[in-house]
Amino acid sequence: MSEKTIQEIGHLIKNCEYTIALSGAGVSTPSGIPDFRSANSGLWETYDPFEVASLNSFRYNPGKVYNWLRPLVKLIINASPNSAHKGLAQLEEDGYLQKIITQNVDSLHQKAGSNNVLEVHGSFRTLTCTSCFKQYRSSAFIDTFIQDGELPRCRSCQRVLKPDAILFGEQLPAQTWLQAVEASRRCDLLIVIGSSLEVIPVAGLPMRAIDNGAHLIILNQQETYMDIRADIILREDVAVTIPAIVNEVLGG
Ligand code: ZN
């Protein structure tokens, strides 16, 4: 990891007024959560996630979708934020990070102490009835689901509740998405963190930021289609680079 690159990133963060982070699976893999959409995650080798975890499958066979989600939910509720999550929370607390837009559904940014988080792919914290739209906290259902596989049901109409993490083929939560677009237009620095920018429409947000004159930093182990437009790229584990950046910003 180049000391000079870390200094340049720190310099940019300190000199920008409205910085946002766009985080993806790479932020949570050091916490033991595999990439939800990755074929190589090892968790669901027998299934095609695009087929099983889709809104359509949920309508016809919610039990099958829940069965697929069960190992992921179990990992998520037991996971702890890592040094990348904690570093970002610290930057927010000290006024250097205005918002996090996250593709992750694990709530680890909030567990680390971040307050301004836009979960554009939803989360598992709540469940909604697809019939009467009543919303529930997941905590009331999680133990029986994890232990016995019992499906969470609406207390009014007995329908199976849908997790508020979005499934394939499902619309992004509209309000959150609009806020993410607005933040991308407004920022003068966008930092991509642990996302390969492969999932649309979120992958288009850095382009909106750049079109409005923002700087772009990409911290990701794999290449992204926006690398060519980035001011700075650092292809290393974000659990290592983020703490170094935080040290640079807060220490220097
Ligand atoms: Zn209901």
Side-chain angles (χ1 to χ4, degrees), residues 98-168:
Q98 276 58 53
K99 260 184 186 43
I100 297 173
I101 299 168
T102 189
Q103 298 171 280
N104 299 335
V105 293
D106 52 36
S107 307
L108 287 178
H109 285 302
Q110 290 94 326
K111 271 194 193 172
S114 291
N115 294 307
N116 296 310
V117 184
L118 297 172
E119 295 171 304
V120 285
H121 289 167
S123 84
F124 284 108
R125 282 195 311 280
T126 52
L127 307 160
T128 300
C129 177
T130 53
S131 177
C132 72
F133 302 107
K134 196 175 269 187
Q135 197 183 46
Y136 297 85
R137 304 286 304 171
S138 304
S139 48
F141 301 92
I142 208 100
D143 289 344
T144 47
F145 170 60
I146 293 295
Q147 281 160 27
D148 314 322
E150 191 182 316
L151 298 182
R153 286 183 186 277
C154 178
R155 292 188 180 120
S156 306
C157 66
Q158 300 308 310
R159 285 282 188 100
V160 177
L161 299 169
K162 198 195 81 61
D164 288 334
I166 65 151
L167 301 172
F168 295 103

Side-chain angles (χ1 to χ4, degrees), residues 177 181 184-185 201 204-213:
W177 172 246
V181 170
S184 304
R185 285 198 186 124
L205 291 174
M207 193 62 97
R208 291 176 194 252
I210 278 193
D211 284 347
N212 283 278

Side-chain angles (χ1 to χ4, degrees), residues 16-32:
C16 283
E17 284 176 1
Y18 196 93
T19 296
I20 64 175
L22 172 56
S23 77
V27 177
S28 291
T29 41
S31 289

Side-chain angles (χ1 to χ4, degrees), residues 3-13 217 231-232 248:
E3 187 60 32
K4 188 168 164 283
T5 310
I6 296 293
Q7 281 171 2
E8 283 169 7
I9 293 171
H11 182 77
L12 206 44
I13 292 175
I217 296 172
D231 294 74
I232 305 168
E248 178 66 29

